Amino acid sequence: MNIDKLVNEVIPPSDYQHRNGFNNIPIIDELTENEKHLLEKALIQKLQSEAEKEIDTLIVETLAYLKSVASLPVLKNLLEVCNDIVIRLRIATAIFEISHDTEMVDIAVSSVKEMDNKKDTYYVYKLTSAFYYLAKFKTEKTKQLIKEYTTHPEYLISYNAKQALEI
Protein backbone atom coordinates (compact mmCIF):
# COMPACT_ATOMS: atom_id res chain seq x y z
CA MET A 1 0.00 0.00 0.00
CA ASN A 2 1.31 3.41 -0.98
CA ILE A 3 0.53 5.70 1.97
CA ASP A 4 1.06 8.91 -0.04
CA LYS A 5 -1.46 7.75 -2.62
CA LEU A 6 -3.93 6.89 0.14
CA VAL A 7 -3.49 10.28 1.82
CA ASN A 8 -4.11 12.02 -1.52
CA GLU A 9 -7.24 9.92 -2.04
CA VAL A 10 -8.58 10.63 1.46
CA ILE A 11 -7.54 14.31 1.45
CA PRO A 12 -7.96 15.67 -2.08
CA PRO A 13 -6.81 19.18 -3.03
CA SER A 14 -8.60 21.91 -1.11
CA ASP A 15 -10.62 23.43 -3.92
CA TYR A 16 -14.23 23.38 -5.03
CA GLN A 17 -13.62 20.98 -7.90
CA HIS A 18 -12.11 18.30 -5.64
CA ARG A 19 -14.03 18.84 -2.41
CA ASN A 20 -17.59 19.69 -3.46
CA GLY A 21 -19.70 16.72 -2.41
CA PHE A 22 -16.61 14.76 -1.39
CA ASN A 23 -16.92 12.22 1.42
CA ASN A 24 -13.88 10.24 2.53
CA ILE A 25 -15.71 8.05 5.06
CA PRO A 26 -16.47 5.23 2.59
CA ILE A 27 -12.75 5.11 1.69
CA ILE A 28 -11.71 5.01 5.34
CA ASP A 29 -14.29 2.36 6.22
CA GLU A 30 -12.74 0.02 3.63
CA LEU A 31 -9.30 0.19 5.25
CA THR A 32 -7.80 -2.41 7.57
CA GLU A 33 -6.87 -1.38 11.10
CA ASN A 34 -3.20 -1.31 10.10
CA GLU A 35 -3.96 0.93 7.11
CA LYS A 36 -6.01 3.24 9.34
CA HIS A 37 -3.09 3.48 11.75
CA LEU A 38 -0.67 4.34 8.94
CA LEU A 39 -3.14 6.89 7.58
CA GLU A 40 -3.55 8.42 11.03
CA LYS A 41 0.22 8.88 11.42
CA ALA A 42 0.52 10.38 7.93
CA LEU A 43 -2.39 12.78 8.52
CA ILE A 44 -0.94 13.99 11.82
CA GLN A 45 2.36 14.63 10.09
CA LYS A 46 0.62 16.41 7.20
CA LEU A 47 -1.39 18.56 9.60
CA GLN A 48 1.74 19.55 11.51
CA SER A 49 3.74 20.37 8.40
CA GLU A 50 1.01 22.35 6.62
CA ALA A 51 -0.63 24.10 9.59
CA GLU A 52 1.62 27.15 9.34
CA LYS A 53 0.22 27.86 5.87
CA GLU A 54 -3.39 26.86 6.41
CA ILE A 55 -5.24 24.42 8.65
CA ASP A 56 -7.00 21.86 6.47
CA THR A 57 -10.18 21.10 8.36
CA LEU A 58 -10.77 17.94 6.32
CA ILE A 59 -7.65 16.50 7.95
CA VAL A 60 -8.92 17.62 11.37
CA GLU A 61 -12.34 16.04 10.78
CA THR A 62 -10.79 12.85 9.39
CA LEU A 63 -8.65 12.48 12.51
CA ALA A 64 -11.81 12.92 14.58
CA TYR A 65 -13.55 10.21 12.55
CA LEU A 66 -10.56 7.94 13.17
CA LYS A 67 -10.83 8.77 16.91
CA SER A 68 -7.14 9.61 16.80
CA VAL A 69 -5.99 10.04 20.38
CA ALA A 70 -2.46 10.48 19.02
CA SER A 71 -3.57 13.68 17.25
CA LEU A 72 -4.85 15.39 20.40
CA PRO A 73 -1.60 17.24 21.27
CA VAL A 74 -1.39 18.62 17.71
CA LEU A 75 -5.08 19.56 17.64
CA LYS A 76 -4.89 21.26 21.04
CA ASN A 77 -1.83 23.21 19.93
CA LEU A 78 -3.63 24.32 16.75
CA LEU A 79 -6.64 25.36 18.81
CA GLU A 80 -4.42 27.59 20.94
CA VAL A 81 -2.85 29.39 17.97
CA CYS A 82 -5.84 29.52 15.62
CA ASN A 83 -7.52 32.91 15.23
CA ASP A 84 -10.23 31.88 12.75
CA ILE A 85 -13.44 31.24 14.72
CA VAL A 86 -14.87 28.82 12.16
CA ILE A 87 -11.73 26.69 12.23
CA ARG A 88 -11.58 26.93 16.04
CA LEU A 89 -15.10 25.51 16.20
CA ARG A 90 -14.14 22.63 13.91
CA ILE A 91 -10.99 21.84 15.89
CA ALA A 92 -12.87 21.99 19.21
CA THR A 93 -15.52 19.67 17.78
CA ALA A 94 -12.86 17.21 16.61
CA ILE A 95 -11.16 17.21 20.02
CA PHE A 96 -14.51 16.61 21.69
CA GLU A 97 -15.36 13.76 19.31
CA ILE A 98 -12.06 12.08 20.15
CA SER A 99 -11.79 12.68 23.89
CA HIS A 100 -15.10 14.14 25.17
CA ASP A 101 -13.09 16.99 26.69
CA THR A 102 -15.83 19.17 28.21
CA GLU A 103 -13.71 22.33 27.88
CA MET A 104 -14.41 22.10 24.15
CA VAL A 105 -18.12 22.75 24.75
CA ASP A 106 -17.38 26.22 26.10
CA ILE A 107 -14.95 26.94 23.26
CA ALA A 108 -17.56 25.86 20.71
CA VAL A 109 -20.31 27.93 22.32
CA SER A 110 -18.14 31.04 22.52
CA SER A 111 -17.03 30.56 18.91
CA VAL A 112 -20.63 30.43 17.71
CA LYS A 113 -21.56 33.49 19.75
CA GLU A 114 -18.61 35.31 18.21
CA MET A 115 -19.81 34.32 14.72
CA ASP A 116 -23.13 36.03 15.37
CA ASN A 117 -21.90 39.38 14.17
CA LYS A 118 -24.12 41.20 11.70
CA LYS A 119 -21.18 43.41 10.71
CA ASP A 120 -19.56 40.32 9.17
CA THR A 121 -20.91 39.95 5.62
CA TYR A 122 -20.67 36.15 5.90
CA TYR A 123 -22.14 35.72 9.38
CA VAL A 124 -25.28 33.96 8.09
CA TYR A 125 -23.22 31.33 6.29
CA LYS A 126 -20.83 30.87 9.19
CA LEU A 127 -23.72 30.33 11.60
CA THR A 128 -25.66 27.96 9.37
CA SER A 129 -22.74 25.54 9.16
CA ALA A 130 -21.78 26.09 12.80
CA PHE A 131 -25.04 24.58 14.03
CA TYR A 132 -24.14 21.18 12.61
CA TYR A 133 -20.83 21.21 14.46
CA LEU A 134 -22.54 22.30 17.67
CA ALA A 135 -25.05 19.48 17.28
CA LYS A 136 -22.22 16.93 17.43
CA PHE A 137 -21.66 17.81 21.08
CA LYS A 138 -25.12 16.57 22.08
CA THR A 139 -25.08 18.51 25.34
CA GLU A 140 -27.87 20.58 26.84
CA LYS A 141 -25.74 23.71 26.55
CA THR A 142 -25.16 23.28 22.81
CA LYS A 143 -28.73 22.18 22.11
CA GLN A 144 -30.04 25.22 23.96
CA LEU A 145 -27.83 27.58 21.99
CA ILE A 146 -28.98 26.09 18.69
CA LYS A 147 -32.60 26.25 19.89
CA GLU A 148 -32.23 30.00 20.50
CA TYR A 149 -31.64 30.43 16.76
CA THR A 150 -34.72 28.49 15.63
CA THR A 151 -36.79 31.67 15.78
CA HIS A 152 -34.16 33.93 14.25
CA PRO A 153 -35.62 36.43 11.75
CA GLU A 154 -33.04 35.41 9.11
CA TYR A 155 -34.65 32.42 7.37
CA LEU A 156 -31.41 30.52 6.60
CA ILE A 157 -30.32 30.76 10.21
CA SER A 158 -33.62 29.58 11.70
CA TYR A 159 -34.03 26.83 9.09
CA ASN A 160 -30.55 25.42 9.65
CA ALA A 161 -30.89 25.64 13.43
CA LYS A 162 -34.05 23.54 13.19
CA GLN A 163 -32.35 21.09 10.81
CA ALA A 164 -29.38 20.74 13.18
CA LEU A 165 -31.78 19.96 16.02
CA GLU A 166 -33.78 17.68 13.71
CA ILE A 167 -37.01 19.53 14.50
Side-chain angles (χ1 to χ4, degrees), residues 4-138:
D4 292 330
K5 182 180 178 198
L6 178 59
V7 168
N8 289 333
E9 188 178 343
V10 172
I11 309 294
S14 181
D15 59 37
Y16 182 83
Q17 177 185 358
H18 291 93
R19 298 260 177 112
N20 182 40
F22 178 75
N23 180 1
N24 64 13
I25 292 173
I27 300 166
I28 294 168
D29 287 347
E30 292 292 319
L31 300 175
T32 66
E33 288 306 310
N34 185 50
E35 289 169 332
K36 287 178 184 178
H37 180 69
L38 293 172
L39 176 64
E40 173 190 27
K41 286 175 62 177
L43 291 178
I44 292 169
Q45 186 175 20
K46 184 175 178 72
L47 188 60
Q48 285 176 309
S49 66
E50 295 179 0
E52 288 182 15
K53 294 181 274 179
E54 182 180 352
I55 299 171
D56 188 337
T57 56
L58 182 58
I59 297 174
V60 171
E61 292 169 5
T62 302
L63 289 167
Y65 183 74
L66 290 168
K67 302 289 187 231
S68 173
V69 174
S71 70
L72 286 172
V74 174
L75 293 172
K76 287 181 179 182
N77 182 55
L78 291 175
L79 186 63
E80 288 179 22
V81 299
C82 181
N83 294 321
D84 184 306
I85 55 176
V86 174
I87 295 175
R88 281 183 58 79
L89 172 62
R90 291 178 180 192
I91 295 171
T93 304
I95 292 170
F96 184 82
E97 286 182 287
I98 296 166
S99 66
H100 297 298
D101 181 342
T102 55
E103 286 181 40
M104 298 304 118
V105 175
D106 292 333
I107 291 170
V109 166
S110 67
S111 294
V112 171
K113 287 180 178 179
E114 194 176 333
M115 285 178 208
D116 191 356
N117 176 3
K118 290 179 178 66
K119 292 179 183 174
D120 180 351
T121 307
Y122 300 103
Y123 94 100
V124 170
Y125 304 103
K126 288 178 182 178
L127 279 175
T128 56
S129 65
F131 299 140
Y132 299 98
Y133 287 93
L134 265 186
K136 291 180 178 186
F137 286 88
K138 297 180 180 148

